[in-house]
């Protein structure tokens, strides 16, 4: 590999590492910070920092109605264990409810509380804002062909990393 190619690959890896670090910031991810800034409820603001990104995605998934942990895991593409861990925290903060139906005592069904609905709504607003800004800024700078190449590259990179 020549020096220019090696430097480019190093820059790509460095940028990806920066993105990863940003999501594990001890002061909360940028998502958590954005959500805190856009909440009016002080109690919820304090709870946000203790919730994982998976927890926020569970809240958003439950906006469509009551679901089991297995259904949520499939919907947001995480493990059942990941859903269970996040759900425990959400239950602790009274953001979701866990119930069993009389016809099937094995399955636990999760649903949103009023506070959980508020947090889910702000989380959804954050994703819409990010999506809108990304589209506006990236399409202003890059052609659709450029963006397709980047999307394919990132998918290829993800597939390669799955092998390690």
């Amino acid at each position: 590999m020549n020096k220019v190619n090696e430097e480019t690959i190093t820059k790509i890896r460095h940028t990806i590492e920066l993105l990863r670090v940003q999501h594990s910031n001890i002061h909360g991810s940028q998502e958590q910070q954005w959500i805190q800034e856009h909440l009016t409820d002080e109690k919820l603001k304090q709870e946000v920092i203790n919730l994982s990104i998976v927890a926020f995605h569970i809240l958003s998934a439950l906006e469509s109605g009551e679901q089991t942990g297995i259904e949520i895991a499939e919907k947001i593409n995480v493990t059942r264990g990941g859903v269970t861990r996040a759900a425990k925290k959400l239950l602790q903060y009274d953001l979701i409810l866990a119930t069993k139906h009389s016809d099937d005592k094995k399955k636990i069904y999760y649903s949103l509380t009023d506070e959980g609905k508020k947090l889910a709504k702000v989380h959804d607003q954050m994703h819409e804002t990010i999506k809108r800004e990304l589209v506006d800024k990236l399409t202003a700078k890059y052609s659709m062909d450029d963006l397709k190449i980047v999307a394919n590259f990132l998918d290829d990179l993800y597939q390669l990393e799955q092998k390690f």
Side-chain angles (χ1 to χ4, degrees):
M1 182 177 346
N2 70 35
K3 186 168 175 62
V4 173
N5 288 343
E6 191 172 321
E7 287 175 2
T8 301
I9 296 298
T10 300
K11 180 180 178 183
I12 291 166
R13 290 185 54 90
H14 178 71
T15 302
I16 289 169
E17 285 305 313
L18 290 174
L19 287 168
R20 286 182 179 145
V21 167
Q22 183 177 348
H23 284 281
S24 60
N25 184 340
I26 60 167
H27 302 294
S29 70
Q30 281 190 309
E31 286 192 21
Q32 289 166 315
Q33 292 171 9
W34 192 98
I35 291 168
Q36 278 185 314
E37 291 169 9
H38 291 83
L39 280 169
T40 55
D41 184 314
E42 289 302 320
K43 180 180 172 242
L44 280 178
K45 282 184 181 187
Q46 296 307 311
E47 293 171 354
V48 164
I49 199 70
N50 298 311
L51 299 176
S52 67
I53 300 304
V54 171
F56 290 113
H57 288 238
I58 290 171
L59 293 173
S60 290
L62 288 172
E63 286 179 296
S64 63
E66 181 181 71
Q67 295 172 56
T68 66
I70 294 169
E71 292 169 328
I72 295 167
E74 290 171 358
K75 190 172 192 175
I76 65 173
N77 199 27
V78 297
T79 64
R80 291 187 332 204
V83 169
T84 300
R85 283 186 298 279
K88 282 181 184 177
K89 189 67 83 167
L90 292 167
L91 286 164
Q92 176 185 338
Y93 290 112
D94 296 320
L95 297 169
I96 62 171
L97 299 171
T99 57
K100 292 184 180 182
H101 291 187
S102 58
D103 60 331
D104 187 352
K105 297 285 187 187
K106 286 184 179 181
K107 291 182 182 174
I108 298 173
Y109 291 85
Y110 297 104
S111 59
L112 292 172
T113 64
D114 288 341
E115 296 299 297
K117 289 175 186 176
K118 290 178 192 175
L119 203 47
K121 183 178 177 186
V122 174
H123 177 251
D124 293 344
Q125 289 170 346
M126 180 213 54
H127 275 286
E128 282 302 312
T129 300
I130 290 170
K131 185 172 136 183
R132 189 174 50 251
E133 284 186 28
L134 280 173
V135 168
D136 291 349
K137 289 184 172 141
L138 293 177
T139 56
K141 187 171 182 177
Y142 300 99
S143 72
M144 284 312 295
D145 287 340
D146 292 338
L147 293 173
K148 286 177 185 174
I149 289 169
V150 171
N152 289 335
F153 169 81
L154 291 173
D155 186 54
D156 290 345
L157 181 63
Y158 175 78
Q159 297 302 323
L160 286 169
E161 284 199 352
Q162 293 304 302
K163 294 179 182 179
F164 293 106

